[in-house]
Amino acid sequence: MDDVDLRILELLEENGRLSHEEISKILHISRPAVHQRVGKLEKNGVIKGYRSIIDWRLMEQKIKVLIFVKARCQNFKEMAGKIVELQVPNVKIVECQRLAGEWCMMLKVRVNAPEDLTNLIDEMVKHEEVLETSTTFILSTMYEDGWKEI
């Protein structure tokens, strides 16, 4: 991987819809060279996929929270998988991060209403591995996933 590959990644991270033609013009290299490099980055798993950035403020799941979890278990990945797979109406678990420190897991969650969050936490604590949770409501987002909302 060289500086050109890194620049291609930066451009695609900013706008995943850029065509190879547009990238070639920005970087002053041929379109086939861009095509070859992007293909190699995809094949090697550096580029895992493409997605849309959604303005959730315009949708029903406007409330975003962080849930910190303390847990005790033999298999952390298995326990985290059970939590991420919970099916609670009007709840979307967006991220699950393993942490070092006081809390061992952090979930980023979107919900329609506070009672939906209550339902999720009620389901989470049914798992005996979950010892404690702490929830923080996100008031506003300045920067997320490479997208500035300032």
Side-chain angles (χ1 to χ4, degrees):
M1 184 168 315
D2 61 12
D3 289 342
V4 175
D5 288 336
L6 290 173
R7 186 68 179 120
I8 289 171
L9 291 172
E10 289 170 353
L11 290 169
L12 288 173
E13 189 173 43
E14 289 173 21
N15 181 359
R17 294 185 67 149
L18 278 177
S19 69
H20 292 175
E21 183 71 28
E22 291 168 314
I23 295 170
S24 73
K25 288 177 182 175
I26 293 168
L27 298 181
H28 307 290
I29 60 175
S30 71
R31 189 202 54 74
V34 171
H35 180 75
Q36 179 184 22
R37 286 172 176 266
V38 169
K40 187 176 179 183
L41 291 165
E42 290 171 341
K43 180 182 175 200
N44 291 336
V46 175
I47 296 175
K48 294 188 177 286
Y50 301 87
R51 64 187 180 126
S52 298
I53 298 173
I54 299 164
D55 188 343
W56 288 100
R57 296 172 299 184
L58 303 176
M59 305 301 291
E60 289 183 10
Q61 293 178 330
K62 293 180 182 182
I63 300 172
K64 187 166 46 173
V65 300
L66 300 176
I67 302 174
F68 295 90
V69 180
K70 285 184 186 176
R72 181 174 301 146
C73 60
Q74 295 293 323
N75 187 331
F76 188 87
K77 286 184 181 181
E78 182 181 313
M79 186 267 305
K82 289 178 187 176
I83 290 174
V84 170
E85 292 171 2
L86 287 173
Q87 298 296 311
V88 179
N90 304 316
V91 172
K92 172 70 175 163
I93 298 175
V94 179
E95 287 182 25
C96 177
Q97 307 288 342
R98 187 166 187 178
L99 307 175
E102 182 179 354
W103 301 96
C104 55
M105 182 190 321
M106 191 239 7
L107 302 170
K108 187 186 330 178
V109 179
R110 293 189 180 282
V111 297
N112 291 14
E115 51 271 14
D116 300 324
L117 181 60
T118 300
N119 295 336
L120 173 63
I121 292 171
D122 288 348
E123 289 300 313
M124 286 174 52
V125 298
K126 287 180 182 177
H127 294 278
E128 63 185 38
E129 299 97 338
V130 175
L131 303 176
E132 185 179 346
T133 66
S134 176
T135 302
T136 301
F137 282 80
I138 297 173
L139 299 177
S140 62
T141 299
M142 288 1 133
Y143 185 83
E144 183 176 54
D145 294 330
W147 189 258
K148 294 178 186 172
E149 296 194 23
I150 297 175

